[in-house]
Amino acid sequence: MVPQVSDSELTLMQIIWAAGGKALYAQIVEALAKKGCGWQKNTIITLLSRLVEKGLLRTGKIGRRNEYLAIVSEAEYQAAQTQVLLNKLYAGSAKGLVATLIQQGMLPPEDCEALQRFWESGGDRP
């Protein structure tokens, strides 16, 4: 089971996933600065340590620099969190989730058409 993470931890994971699943500490800090996150060094280190403890990251060394490697892919994390959402809000019913998306106008017609093509193709990504 993939553990849930805080919004701040997810921000770090998204940076690492966007970097191909691995990033040096300095790259992470640079990406945070571009996002306008003015986090202190201790905050970043603490959040990265939590992600290591949760089993989502592992660390490696390149010389004296720390490299963070994603153990869980973004797709694996999304799938696990989608299952949590389905179980928590829809008693495991994907139909209930999709119905809500359509009824609330959150799933535009072009996305519905893309999903239809997805199902007809046997499951290739929409």
Side-chain angles (χ1 to χ4, degrees), residues 113-125:
E113 292 166 10
L115 285 170
Q116 183 66 37
R117 289 190 302 275
F118 170 74
W119 288 315
E120 288 170 357
S121 71
D124 294 330
R125 294 291 261 188

Side-chain angles (χ1 to χ4, degrees), residues 71-116:
I71 295 172
V72 174
S73 72
E74 187 172 19
E76 290 169 325
Y77 184 77
Q78 289 171 339
Q81 293 309 304
T82 300
Q83 190 63 56
V84 168
L85 175 74
L86 283 176
N87 292 341
K88 187 184 288 188
L89 298 179
Y90 297 97
S93 169
K95 179 182 175 186
L97 171 61
V98 173
T100 298
L101 292 173
I102 293 168
Q103 290 166 354
Q104 297 301 313
M106 295 180 218
L107 192 63
E110 58 272 11
D111 286 355
C112 288
E113 292 166 10
L115 285 170
Q116 183 66 37

Side-chain angles (χ1 to χ4, degrees), residues 18-37:
K22 61 183 177 179
L24 295 171
Y25 174 80
Q27 293 170 311
I28 295 168
V29 171
E30 182 180 326
L32 286 169
K34 286 180 183 175
K35 289 179 173 271
C37 297

Side-chain angles (χ1 to χ4, degrees), residues 7-12 14-15 28-41 43-44 47:
D7 289 347
S8 297
E9 292 167 337
L10 182 57
T11 296
L12 294 177
Q14 289 169 331
I15 288 168
I28 295 168
V29 171
E30 182 180 326
L32 286 169
K34 286 180 183 175
K35 289 179 173 271
C37 297
W39 297 348
Q40 298 295 314
K41 179 179 180 177
T43 300
I44 299 167
L47 292 170

